[in-house]
Amino acid sequence: MSADGFSSGPPPGAAADWTIDQAWSSYTEGEHKVWDVLYERQTALLTGRASDEFLKGLDALDLHRGGIPDFARINEELQRLTGWTVVAVPGLVPDEVFFEHLANRRFPAGQFIRPPEQLDYLQEPDIFHDVFGHVPMLTDPVFADYMQAYGRGGERAMQLGRLHNLARLYWYTVEFGLMETKAGLRIYGAGIVSSRAESVFALDDPSPNRLGFNLERLMRTPYRIDDFQQVYFVIPSLQVLLDATLQDFAPIYERLEKAQDVPIDAILPSDRVFTRGSQAYAKSALERVKA
Ligand code: PHE
Ligand code: FE
């Protein structure tokens, strides 16, 4: 996770790279319980919805020994599988700090867990979103390479002034990505798998568009941070996603400079359409705001 608008350095107690001690032994019983409730709830929903890569990663990490997992333990397995580690941070970190961690195969995860009265919605990513949502995919060798490449690409996009375009790639893949499989569409995005409501909405609701992944098209599409997505992009496989990002983005960024954004709910003639969404949910949400 990352965010813009940081003017000063790391908060007191954090290292220069913004990492902190997870301080695993100081989580309370109540905090461990929140993890257990969320874990049970999501895993019950995700069979038949999450991608095999995600479910396999979840199994490999054994994130259900009771309570919030200890990063030291997760890291032994993760390190062995793909060379990634999870590091604790206080919350959102500046973009350049985030990219630097990814480029070195370190995933920064929020140390705190949401309070029990906010099980379904919170603004900042907590340890459940970051660890349950993101870390299982990092056990997959292809996805592991993709995330590292993204970190390097982030540093470059910042220099070229195209971070807003690259951020859309992260959003529509790492956070809200869907995958086409023989058994049907499956979720691999962390923002979906860690959300009770969106893990149903993203696959089953007739409202959002579900469109085939196309790198340049996707980078022209804005996204919502405040509600369910209006469009999801479907990759054929993680390998296709990785391969599409191995090319040099500089010429793409140059074209994007002149190209217009695609409206969030638009379907283009060149799109491969999995679902032509009714957009009913987005429209009714708008009505609620106006009322
Ligand atoms: N290939 C991209 C570039 O040239 C880097 C990148 C890789 C970006 C993977 C995102 C994901 O900038
Ligand atoms: Fe996230």
Side-chain angles (χ1 to χ4, degrees), residues 145-146 148-154 156-157 160 166 169 242 244-250 253:
D145 285 352
Y146 173 65
Q148 179 177 26
Y150 185 90
R152 296 201 185 115
R156 186 143 183 256
L160 298 172
L166 189 70
L169 178 61
L242 176 63
T245 57
L246 290 179
Q247 62 181 307
D248 180 7
F249 282 15
Y253 290 147

Side-chain angles (χ1 to χ4, degrees), residues 133-151:
H134 285 282
V135 178
M137 290 303 291
L138 293 172
T139 65
D140 181 89
V142 176
F143 192 85
D145 285 352
Y146 173 65
M147 284 290 271
Q148 179 177 26
Y150 185 90

Side-chain angles (χ1 to χ4, degrees), residues 1-197:
M1 50 179 179
S2 74
D4 286 322
F6 290 90
S7 48
S8 52
D17 66 358
W18 287 67
T19 57
I20 56 173
D21 183 4
Q22 189 197 2
W24 186 79
S25 52
S26 48
Y27 291 116
T28 65
E29 271 311 298
E31 288 174 324
H32 285 302
K33 177 85 182 143
V34 169
W35 174 280
D36 288 342
V37 170
L38 290 169
Y39 188 100
E40 284 304 328
R41 216 173 69 172
Q42 285 312 108
T43 46
L45 268 174
L46 288 174
T47 320
R49 293 180 177 276
S51 74
D52 286 348
E53 290 88 344
F54 176 86
L55 294 172
K56 201 174 147 214
L58 199 58
D59 253 12
L61 293 171
D62 193 11
L63 297 176
H64 196 217
R65 297 215 181 153
I68 297 170
D70 185 344
F71 291 177
R73 186 191 61 79
I74 299 179
N75 282 340
E76 275 176 37
E77 189 60 15
L78 191 56
Q79 178 80 256
R80 196 181 65 75
L81 289 168
T82 55
W84 273 78
T85 54
V86 185
V87 293
V89 290
L92 294 171
V93 300
D95 291 323
E96 67 275 16
V97 175
F98 183 65
F99 296 142
E100 170 79 16
H101 281 300
L102 296 188
N104 289 286
R105 291 194 174 237
R106 291 187 301 265
F107 190 78
Q111 185 269 352
F112 71 100
I113 193 153
R114 64 196 72 181
E117 60 280 5
Q118 277 181 55
L119 279 194
D120 287 309
Y121 184 76
L122 77 166
Q123 274 174 344
E124 274 206 48
D126 70 340
I127 194 169
F128 186 76
H129 167 79
D130 281 334
V131 173
F132 180 92
H134 285 282
V135 178
M137 290 303 291
L138 293 172
T139 65
D140 181 89
V142 176
F143 192 85
D145 285 352
Y146 173 65
M147 284 290 271
Q148 179 177 26
Y150 185 90
R152 296 201 185 115
E155 286 159 18
R156 186 143 183 256
M158 278 178 94
Q159 285 157 12
L160 298 172
R162 305 310 300 180
L163 192 53
H164 56 289
N165 295 119
L166 189 70
R168 291 168 177 174
L169 178 61
Y170 191 88
W171 193 264
Y172 282 122
T173 61
V174 177
E175 295 291 355
F176 292 96
L178 298 181
M179 191 187 296
E180 185 182 18
T181 76
K182 287 196 194 88
L185 297 189
R186 291 291 183 268
I187 306 161
Y188 71 95
I192 312 178
V193 292
S194 64
S195 158
R196 167 154 77 170

